[in-house]
Amino acid sequence: MPKRIVFVALFVCAPLYAAPPIDNDRLQQLANTPLWISLGHYVTAKLGGWRSYVDDPTFFLAANGAHDPAAELRATLNAIYKPASNDPARQNAHAQCVYPARTHFLRDQLHLTDLPAVDCTDFKQWYSSVAPDSTVLIFPAAYLNSPSSMFGHTLLRIDQADVQKDHTALLSYAINFGAYIEGMDNSILYAWKGLMGGYPGLFALVPYQEKLSEYRSLENRDLWEYRLNLTPEETGRMVEHVWELKQIRFGYFFFDENCSYRLLELLQVARPGLELTKLFPLTAIPTDTVRAVKQAALVEKIDYRPSRERELLNRAAPLNDEEQQWVLNVSADQKQLQNRDYRLLPKERRALIQDAAYRLERYRANGQERDTERSQRSFDLLRAISQNPPPPLDIARPGLPEDGHESRTWQLVAGSRGDKAYAEYGLRMAYHDLNDNAYGFPLGAQIEILQLKLRQYEGNHWQVQQLDVATIRSLTPRTELLKPWSWQVTGGLERVLGKHDSERLVSHVNGGAGGTWQLGDELLGFALGTVRVEHNTDFSALVSPAAGFDSGLLWRNPLGNLSLEAKSDYFTNGEVRRNLSLNQQWELSRNLGLRLTAQREFSQLTSPVNEVMLEVKWYHY
């Protein structure tokens, strides 16, 4: 930013007559080209004209540059013709050094051959260290236990010319866009401010090894690498523009102006004429943006990097219960390597146990300060592995995340409740529940944002049946080696049984935590304790708390996903509410599902009610 201030000060005092004359028609023509629009991050304003996504006034040279691409182009042209200073520091603040991508554009379009000679040492050193040649889109898969990562994330890796030949991707750099957070906001505040645009967003260029460690190790997320067919020239232009965006602030919103949307803007700088961002007027879910990049024929190769957690679980999968106990023992105490009973195990089984123990030890060390005892245990395990190496770890690549169903869902229901028939119409903005079409999604993961259901009973009686702000469930199986907590949280409006055979639309927030267990290859069992806070006009108190449970089975079967669930809430005012439900989804196609639901509801306030519904779910963006 200081360089920009120095440049502006110099620009005000400098003569502008050195810039070549350019008529207004030609000026407007250049200002409307896709590349110039992309360099300014302009979009059409709602009431006409232009506006830029950039929130930082220091990015613009013209007073109205955020709303007038032509004025900004004229100001840039004048600025790059400003005489160069003899002071090296001031030279680095020259417009040619601050805006290399803009300068490149104007030089090429106007065939400028008489620009002042400026030695941009800072930019040249930085660009040389990056040495851009090719681009890889990185997609760290969704991770429910991190609020900023529930939908996944995208970033760009910039490779040097010899990366593929020498396998030196760890030496590359990564372009990342994220929220700039000052202080230590908790997860709830982080989610709220992220939804409402409470954080500025910044681009950053960081060593790829750092990001790889963060996502693959610290957050235990699988990584997908999509090598793009951008040319060295296109990659270089994009990197030039990233230099222009250093410390420049954008708005940041979880659902639209997020990491994935901003990277699509960069790809439009790299290859002018791409219209990727126009595909996402409301939300930009990372998997949808990856799908858009593939559909634009930008992807030439896909590589998969499993997380350390997945590597550990796959290594331990062939071990029986006794052998997994040895993994825990050996990981905790390297002296167990010399235990007589352990030495009696077959050599090939010890090889698997030692390797799993080492992976467990490194998994536990993620994010922890260096510990001498742990380091010694790891060293002893590595030595044992070198003496008795295990077979290579072969992890089957899971389904491509972008090949799963699309994120927005329309729902059409025909059903009966008690003795009344109804039709129901629903819309969910994002993006997956426990029974949805399974391909590309982990079993036991649910993220639903902004779901509305309108019900039409016989006699043309309409009512709001449900309005969920968010529903998140993470049902992760516990194993002998790893024992994660399962949890859920939801909030919004829903219909519940009320007095005199009526139904009440109540507002509520509830959540819970517990455990999930793998009962079979594709079968999970879960049990969670829950708490609920509800505002209900049938209750005398303004808000009423309840404690309860939520338990059930989740089975991925040849037809789709089946769930059997029992839950109950015990309110402090004496109300007891219970629900039994069965759901089976048939996967008709990637973006079409048919779901049968049968449930029985109980309440102390009224008689039990049975409900059956058949639901068509259409997934699209």
Side-chain angles (χ1 to χ4, degrees):
M1 187 177 295
K3 291 181 180 178
R4 297 176 187 273
I5 296 173
V6 170
F7 162 68
V8 172
L10 291 172
F11 169 68
V12 171
C13 301
L16 304 179
Y17 57 81
I22 176 173
D23 62 65
N24 287 334
D25 289 342
R26 177 59 173 152
L27 179 75
Q28 194 63 55
Q29 180 189 23
L30 284 177
N32 288 335
T33 57
L35 180 52
W36 186 257
I37 295 301
S38 296
L39 288 173
H41 297 263
Y42 294 107
V43 291
T44 305
K46 292 181 179 178
L47 300 179
W50 297 96
R51 69 177 182 90
S52 175
Y53 280 125
V54 178
D55 288 343
D56 197 327
T58 63
F59 180 72
F60 302 100
L61 298 176
N64 60 337
H67 301 280
D68 190 340
E72 187 65 15
L73 189 147
R74 172 71 76 182
T76 304
L77 182 62
N78 290 332
I80 65 175
Y81 266 93
K82 179 190 172 298
S85 169
N86 292 327
D87 183 347
R90 291 189 174 186
Q91 285 203 30
N92 281 309
H94 193 279
Q96 292 184 39
C97 303
V98 177
Y99 302 99
R102 294 192 196 184
T103 303
H104 199 157
F105 168 80
L106 292 172
R107 183 190 292 118
D108 290 349
Q109 293 296 318
L110 297 174
H111 309 290
L112 304 178
T113 58
D114 57 345
L115 283 170
V118 183
D119 188 11
C120 303
T121 55
D122 288 354
F123 168 70
K124 289 179 179 177
Q125 291 174 4
W126 177 85
Y127 189 87
S128 177
S129 67
V130 178
D133 180 76
S134 59
T135 305
V136 180
L137 174 66
I138 308 296
F139 176 66
Y143 182 63
L144 289 183
N145 289 331
S146 173
S148 63
S149 307
M150 290 179 180
F151 295 98
H153 182 62
T154 55
L155 60 150
L156 296 175
R157 193 181 78 213
I158 307 300
D159 285 350
Q160 300 175 353
D162 56 356
V163 161
Q164 293 190 73
K165 180 183 68 176
D166 297 342
H167 304 287
T168 54
L170 293 181
L171 303 180
S172 298
Y173 284 86
I175 300 173
N176 187 64
F177 180 83
Y180 177 68
I181 305 170
E182 296 179 294
M184 297 292 292
D185 291 345
N186 60 44
S187 295
I188 295 176
L189 183 58
Y190 178 87
W192 173 254
K193 293 174 75 172
L195 288 169
M196 304 307 295
Y199 295 116
L202 295 175
F203 281 97
L205 187 77
V206 297
Y208 179 60
Q209 187 172 10
E210 291 183 10
K211 301 304 293 184
L212 183 65
S213 175
E214 175 185 342
Y215 290 121
R216 186 167 169 263
S217 301
L218 297 183
E219 291 191 353
N220 295 302
R221 299 164 70 178
D222 293 340
L223 259 70
W224 297 89
E225 301 179 347
Y226 301 82
R227 179 161 293 279
L228 306 183
N229 56 20
L230 297 182
T231 66
E233 179 186 4
E234 291 170 331
T235 297
R237 177 166 51 238
M238 182 171 62
V239 171
E240 287 178 348
H241 184 55
V242 171
W243 172 268
E244 298 177 345
L245 298 175
K246 288 197 312 179
Q247 301 303 311
I248 295 299
R249 298 191 172 205
F250 290 74
Y252 181 87
F253 297 85
F254 275 163
F255 293 128
D256 50 3
E257 297 179 38
N258 56 21
C259 60
S260 295
Y261 189 88
R262 291 285 168 252
L263 294 188
L264 296 182
E265 289 185 308
L266 290 187
L267 294 178
Q268 292 174 167
V269 169
R271 183 169 292 177
L274 288 175
E275 295 186 342
L276 299 172
T277 54
K278 288 184 178 180
L279 302 173
F280 302 96
L282 295 176
T283 59
I285 305 299
T287 49
D288 290 328
T289 62
V290 171
R291 188 180 298 115
V293 169
K294 287 185 68 175
Q295 291 172 350
L298 286 169
V299 176
E300 62 180 26
K301 182 184 178 184
I302 303 175
D303 291 316
Y304 168 66
R305 291 178 182 264
S307 68
R308 288 192 175 181
E309 179 180 297
R310 188 182 290 269
E311 289 177 340
L312 167 61
L313 294 177
N314 273 263
R315 176 55 84 198
L319 303 177
N320 58 36
D321 291 345
E322 180 183 356
E323 290 168 334
Q324 292 203 25
Q325 186 59 49
W326 275 117
V327 172
L328 295 172
N329 295 342
V330 169
S331 174
D333 181 6
Q334 68 271 29
K335 294 179 182 178
Q336 293 294 322
L337 292 169
Q338 307 306 322
N339 185 293
R340 180 177 177 276
D341 292 337
Y342 178 71
R343 302 297 296 179
L344 289 175
L345 294 174
K347 182 179 180 180
E348 63 275 9
R349 306 308 291 177
R350 282 187 281 123
L352 296 176
I353 291 170
Q354 290 163 180
D355 190 51
Y358 174 75
R359 294 178 185 276
L360 177 60
E361 193 64 16
R362 301 318 301 158
Y363 174 88
R364 289 172 171 171
N366 286 337
Q368 303 294 320
E369 294 184 4
R370 182 176 176 81
D371 179 89
T372 303
E373 292 184 6
R374 173 168 282 154
S375 298
Q376 183 62 48
R377 288 198 300 271
S378 296
F379 176 78
D380 291 339
L381 287 168
L382 277 176
R383 184 167 54 188
I385 290 170
S386 67
Q387 295 170 354
N388 181 19
L393 184 59
D394 184 20
I395 298 178
R397 192 173 85 167
L400 291 168
E402 71 273 14
D403 285 349
H405 68 74
E406 299 191 18
S407 60
R408 195 166 299 140
T409 310
W410 293 95
Q411 302 155 76
L412 177 62
V413 178
S416 65
R417 183 173 176 84
D419 58 355
K420 298 179 182 178
Y422 65 83
E424 187 174 276
Y425 316 93
L427 171 62
R428 182 183 66 192
M429 296 301 292
Y431 92 126
H432 183 77
D433 69 22
L434 297 180
N435 292 95
D436 278 325
N437 290 356
Y439 187 89
F441 293 88
L443 184 65
Q446 175 172 340
I447 308 174
E448 295 185 287
I449 305 295
L450 296 178
Q451 177 164 233
L452 173 65
K453 294 183 179 181
L454 299 176
R455 185 168 289 190
Q456 180 186 18
Y457 279 101
E458 295 175 285
N460 203 33
H461 171 66
W462 289 77
Q463 66 183 32
V464 175
Q465 188 67 20
Q466 182 178 335
L467 176 59
D468 280 346
V469 177
T471 299
I472 303 169
R473 306 180 81 178
S474 176
L475 304 179
T476 307
R478 299 167 70 87
T479 68
E480 288 293 326
L481 304 183
L482 303 178
K483 301 186 182 299
W485 288 101
S486 293
W487 59 276
Q488 63 186 35
V489 62
T490 185
L493 305 175
E494 68 173 343
R495 292 277 171 184
V496 301
L497 295 176
K499 294 178 179 178
H500 313 301
D501 295 327
S502 65
E503 294 182 354
R504 293 285 182 263
L505 186 65
V506 303
S507 56
H508 69 99
V509 175
N510 66 75
T516 300
W517 296 267
Q518 191 89 41
L519 304 180
D521 287 343
E522 298 289 350
L523 179 64
L524 301 181
F526 62 92
L528 290 78
T530 62
V531 293
R532 179 183 176 99
V533 177
E534 178 179 304
H535 170 67
N536 188 329
T537 56
D538 275 342
F539 299 160
S540 59
L542 180 64
V543 292
S544 300
F549 66 86
D550 189 348
S551 61
L553 299 172
L554 183 59
W555 177 36
R556 181 165 289 174
N557 56 72
L559 297 177
N561 283 339
L562 179 144
S563 63
L564 177 63
E565 192 168 1
K567 53 186 178 181
S568 183
D569 291 307
Y570 299 86
F571 287 85
T572 57
N573 60 14
E575 160 70 336
V576 177
R577 193 180 297 148
R578 295 187 295 274
N579 180 282
L580 296 173
S581 64
L582 173 69
N583 297 271
Q584 170 67 60
Q585 175 130 333
W586 286 267
E587 299 180 7
L588 304 180
S589 67
R590 181 172 74 92
N591 287 314
L592 191 65
L594 182 66
R595 184 178 301 182
L596 175 65
T597 297
Q599 63 178 357
R600 183 171 175 84
E601 297 178 47
F602 303 85
S603 171
Q604 297 286 90
L605 302 177
T606 189
S607 302
V609 175
N610 296 324
E611 184 170 7
V612 179
M613 65 179 76
L614 189 64
E615 178 179 11
V616 177
K617 298 176 75 73
W618 174 43
Y619 309 91
H620 81 107
Y621 185 81

